[in-house]
Amino acid sequence: MTEQVGYFRTNIPIKIYGLSEKSVTVTFGTAIDHDLLYLIADFNRLLLQNPFSGLITTVPAYTTLTVFFDPLIVMLSDLPGQVCFEKVSAHLNKIAQIKREKSRITADKMVIPVCYGGDFGHDLLTVARTNKLSETEVIDIHTAGQYIVFMIGFVPGFAYMGGMDTRLSTPRKEVPSSKIPAGSVGIAGSQTGIYPMETPGGWQIIGKTPLKMFDVNRSQPSLLKGGDMVTFKAIGIKEFNAYAEI
């Protein structure tokens, strides 16, 4: 596997390796934490502000940033190097040396309304029993937390959120559900997340939000992005229906 080692901000080691003929991945560390999240977001911002010829898109994750490109355009560019990996890596290493701006990325704060339990949260009782809690205690703990969006995937708009109280940690379902409705709020291990569209999935579903988490007609299709801070607010069915009618 082709790999290069460099530094971001002069003292933060990064590794760049070829993922495919059309992509490379930059690794910033191994531990999932807030500082690493902001570091990746900072690098991503610099790259998008200073793109190379052939850049298609970037995908931030917990500890990495994957960069997708058009190999034909990259090979025709004046970037130094003989092959795509060398050319793209040269540009990424150049990005890594850009002087840091004084301002830090600011996270948006979002309040997500959720109707818990019932037809919207069939697995609320499972989470409660697994953790020896009542359903009300699960809701209270979930809404008391402050969560950070670590990454977006496995489908467009799906936000993986960390910071959940360990008292709610619950394993994924042994047999995934074939159809989870859009807006479903789930728990898997120590994470919580929201399904932006109907899709199969193995998370424990505890409720549903009436908000549209992904809409291709919006300027920013995904309602949440990496780095956002999220809190959940419990609502009743009448309020849920009122949201849905807006």
Side-chain angles (χ1 to χ4, degrees), residues 32-50:
I32 301 174
D33 60 39
H34 293 187
D35 288 339
L36 193 63
L37 171 69
Y38 288 117
L39 187 70
I40 294 171
D42 196 20
F43 188 97
N44 190 38
R45 175 183 58 81
L46 290 172
L47 175 57
L48 295 178
Q49 290 176 347
N50 303 274

Side-chain angles (χ1 to χ4, degrees), residues 141-142 145-149 161-164 192 228-232:
I141 294 171
H142 195 254
Q146 291 189 332
Y147 307 88
I148 185 167
V149 179
M161 287 175 263
M164 189 177 71
T192 190
D228 284 351
M229 301 300 297
V230 175
T231 54
F232 293 99

